[in-house]
Amino acid sequence: MQKIALIGLGAMGRPMAENLQARGFLVTAMDISPEACAGFEGAMVPSVDALQKVEAVITMLPEGRHVKDAYDNVVLPGAPAGSLLMDCSTIDVETTNALAEKATAHGFYAVDAPVSGGPEAAGKGVLSFMVGGSTEAYGRAAPLLEAMGAKCSHFGPSGSGQAAKACHNMICGITAMAVTEGFALADSMGLDLAQFYQLCCEAAAQSWIMENRCPVPGVAPGTPASNDYAPGFAAALMAKDLRLAQAAAKASGQDTPFGAEAARMFTEFAEVGGAHLDFSAIYATLRNSAKAV
Ligand code: NAD
């Protein structure tokens, strides 16, 4: 498979497209924003005609409504039947299943393949994929997944990739709140935070979030906190993913009280101006709300 289209040239889609191009794929890149298209050779606003000869279409868009819009107006009318449709966006399971059903009925192979890993991993082709779709569709997706990712888990039928992603990111969001609260308390009790950070990284509190997203500026070099909270992973995306997990929890009847609280706190933080900062910037809100009694 060589000719592919990639729709959505944002923080993730552009480095994914560049990585695929570097690995020999012929990439037709599309985005509704002319600014997002700038600087990528041949990039264009979404076009039905330009999809007619592709073998696969990758979408990397913000939310379910954007993916639905692209599928209804461009992908399904434009791409040839029999081609592979791979949605790498993080969206709700319900929209994923509805679009996969429609795509399959039109003769396409559909997979949901949301990712873990940010723009840097996308550029290097070392993302982690969580995939849902039929065995046949997954088989067709394999060469693209190998080109874009270091790890890939096929969870089962359509929607199961998004289900895994919702659960995975809920764990990350809850962990982020735990790490943030731990550092707020450590600071309020006058501990040396650099020493506390070292301890946690080598003891039972260790996690990827602990090691890479310590929320206090100046404690861990190379973290967003030590770089004015430049993302990283923006608080708006964290809030969105936690709300997706809450929707999934509601639909499946499972109580997730920690997830619900993390969703509430990150949504509130995003709404009061933190949306474009790294999620670890929520530390200032939490630390300042600490009151001595
Ligand atoms: P982004 O906002 O940077 O980019 C989205 C792009 O989609 C924009 O350029 C926008 O113009 C374009 N777009 C919107 N609607 C469109 C349409 N109908 N047709 C064509 N283009 C359209 O978003 P991002 O950070 O690249 O994230 C994309 C997806 O990946 C999201 O679902 C996000 O949750 C997920 N994700 C992001 C990260 C990250 O670190 N940024 C990590 C893992 C997963």
Side-chain angles (χ1 to χ4, degrees):
M1 181 192 306
Q2 285 300 315
K3 289 185 186 162
I4 63 164
L6 194 146
I7 305 180
L9 292 175
M12 293 295 289
R14 175 177 284 253
M16 284 164 72
E18 288 168 349
N19 168 59
L20 286 168
Q21 226 173 26
R23 289 170 194 257
F25 290 89
L26 299 171
V27 183
T28 303
M30 300 180 181
D31 197 292
I32 46 167
S33 154
E35 291 81 41
C37 291
F40 192 98
E41 204 186 330
M44 62 180 83
V45 292
S47 148
V48 169
D49 290 343
L51 289 184
Q52 282 175 6
K53 289 194 175 140
V54 301
E55 294 155 274
V57 182
I58 298 172
T59 37
M60 194 53 168
L61 299 168
E63 296 177 28
R65 62 195 163 96
H66 304 106
V67 181
K68 184 175 177 340
D69 176 54
Y71 270 50
D72 285 346
N73 296 311
V74 187
V75 179
L76 297 179
S83 50
L84 170 75
L85 309 185
M86 181 190 293
D87 182 34
C88 295
S89 326
T90 303
I91 68 168
D92 57 288
V93 174
E94 208 181 343
T95 302
T96 292
N97 286 339
L99 291 177
E101 202 175 309
K102 210 190 257 189
T104 308
H106 282 75
F108 295 100
Y109 294 91
V111 292
D112 46 299
V115 306
S116 175
E120 202 186 334
K124 289 182 181 160
V126 293
L127 292 165
S128 293
F129 284 92
M130 292 152 265
V131 188
S134 68
T135 307
E136 200 175 355
Y138 180 72
R140 286 177 183 248
L144 277 173
L145 293 167
E146 277 162 25
M148 293 190 287
K151 289 180 199 146
C152 186
S153 297
H154 182 205
F155 279 91
S158 168
S160 58
Q162 294 293 356
K165 171 73 178 170
C167 300
H168 173 272
N169 278 31
M170 187 179 80
I171 293 171
C172 292
I174 294 169
T175 307
M177 295 311 304
V179 170
T180 304
E181 206 161 271
F183 274 91
L185 182 59
D187 192 30
S188 74
M189 294 194 293
L191 289 183
D192 178 324
L193 295 185
Q195 190 181 2
F196 180 62
Y197 170 73
Q198 280 308 325
L199 175 277
C200 288
C201 286
E202 289 159 14
Q206 193 277 342
S207 68
W208 188 93
I209 298 272
M210 173 64 79
E211 225 166 89
N212 298 283
R213 292 294 182 269
C214 173
V216 190
V219 169
T223 55
S226 297
N227 184 27
D228 295 328
Y229 292 108
F233 189 60
L237 289 178
M238 177 64 98
K240 181 200 85 162
D241 289 358
L242 287 165
R243 289 195 300 271
L244 287 177
Q246 285 309 291
K250 195 173 170 200
S252 58
Q254 175 61 47
D255 288 340
T256 51
F258 293 165
E261 186 57 9
R264 187 191 69 74
M265 292 191 76
F266 277 111
T267 298
E268 200 176 291
F269 177 61
E271 282 170 1
V272 298
H276 298 293
L277 297 174
D278 187 73
F279 67 83
S280 56
I282 200 170
Y283 176 74
T285 324
L286 241 129
R287 176 67 184 102
N288 292 343
S289 71
K291 291 185 181 66
V293 285

